């Protein structure tokens, strides 16, 4: 295991965290109900905090953290805007957030399954998994609320 491999995996997760934070911010814009907007604002802040922690780890390992999300996520946010215009904004926002969160959970799981992460990097990502599972349950609850 080299720091370069850890840095690469962490930057991959970092891009997805940035995407997630931006996705929640976009969901806040299109949601109608205040309860959903508040949830999305809190989750966006939580993802930014995770990203800050990953950036610090990357720097600790001697790397340079990514500063932007992915092009695919930008396209997804455009889709969210269009989708919200065509249906219930709350439903569109929740569906988009759920899709993004599933992608984030997968990225973290993939990174954790490699033997290429430093011990400290594994600890950070493992800690994130608990929060992501709790968020999944909340998103499921919100999905039921709009049905």
């Amino acid at each position: 295991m080299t720091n370069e491999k850890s840095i690469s995996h962490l930057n991959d997760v970092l891009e997805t965290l940035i995407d997630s934070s931006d996705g929640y911010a976009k969901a806040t814009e299109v949601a109608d109900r205040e309860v959903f907007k508040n949830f999305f604002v809190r989750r966006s802040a939580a993802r930014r905090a995770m990203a800050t922690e990953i950036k610090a780890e990357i720097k600790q390992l001697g790397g340079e953290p990514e500063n932007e999300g992915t092009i695919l996520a930008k396209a997804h946010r455009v889709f969210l805007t269009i989708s919200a215009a065509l249906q219930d904004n709350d439903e569109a926002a929740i569906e988009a957030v759920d899709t993004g969160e599933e992608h984030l959970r997968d990225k973290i799981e993939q990174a954790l399954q490699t033997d290429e992460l430093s011990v400290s990097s594994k600890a950070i990502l493992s800690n994130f998994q608990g929060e992501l599972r709790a968020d999944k349950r909340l998103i499921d609850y919100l999905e039921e609320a709009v049905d």
Side-chain angles (χ1 to χ4, degrees):
M1 189 277 311
T2 65
N3 281 357
E4 291 80 25
K5 295 206 180 217
S6 271
I7 291 165
S8 176
H9 287 292
L10 290 173
N11 265 320
D12 193 35
V13 170
L14 177 58
E15 284 181 332
T16 307
L17 282 167
I18 293 168
D19 291 345
S20 180
S21 177
D22 291 348
Y24 275 118
K26 187 63 178 174
T28 301
E29 292 173 19
V30 301
D32 289 327
R33 289 181 243 184
E34 208 55 40
V35 67
F36 295 147
K37 289 179 181 283
N38 291 336
F39 174 76
F40 298 148
V41 166
R42 287 190 308 274
R43 297 296 22 105
S44 180
R47 295 305 173 264
R48 282 193 309 275
M50 288 176 168
T52 298
E53 194 171 344
I54 293 288
K55 286 178 183 180
E57 176 69 4
I58 291 169
K59 289 178 183 177
Q60 179 70 29
L61 294 171
E64 186 64 33
E66 294 291 334
N67 288 316
E68 294 186 21
T70 62
I71 292 172
L72 180 61
K74 290 174 186 164
H76 183 70
R77 287 189 294 279
V78 169
F79 171 76
L80 171 59
T81 302
I82 294 167
S83 180
L86 299 174
Q87 63 179 328
D88 178 351
N89 291 353
D90 291 337
E91 184 177 342
I94 293 165
E95 285 176 16
V97 162
D98 191 29
T99 299
E101 286 297 284
E102 183 177 339
H103 182 68
L104 176 58
R105 287 189 304 273
D106 289 346
K107 283 283 185 185
I108 290 175
E109 186 62 36
Q110 289 170 8
L112 285 169
Q113 289 177 0
T114 71
D115 294 329
E116 301 173 335
L117 285 179
S118 67
V119 172
S120 59
S121 298
K122 279 188 179 190
I124 290 168
L125 295 181
S126 293
N127 287 338
F128 289 170
Q129 284 185 310
E131 185 172 341
L132 294 173
R133 279 191 295 273
D135 287 346
K136 173 63 175 148
R137 288 188 296 273
L138 288 170
I139 291 168
D140 289 345
Y141 175 76
L142 294 177
E143 285 179 325
E144 290 175 15
V146 296
D147 287 339

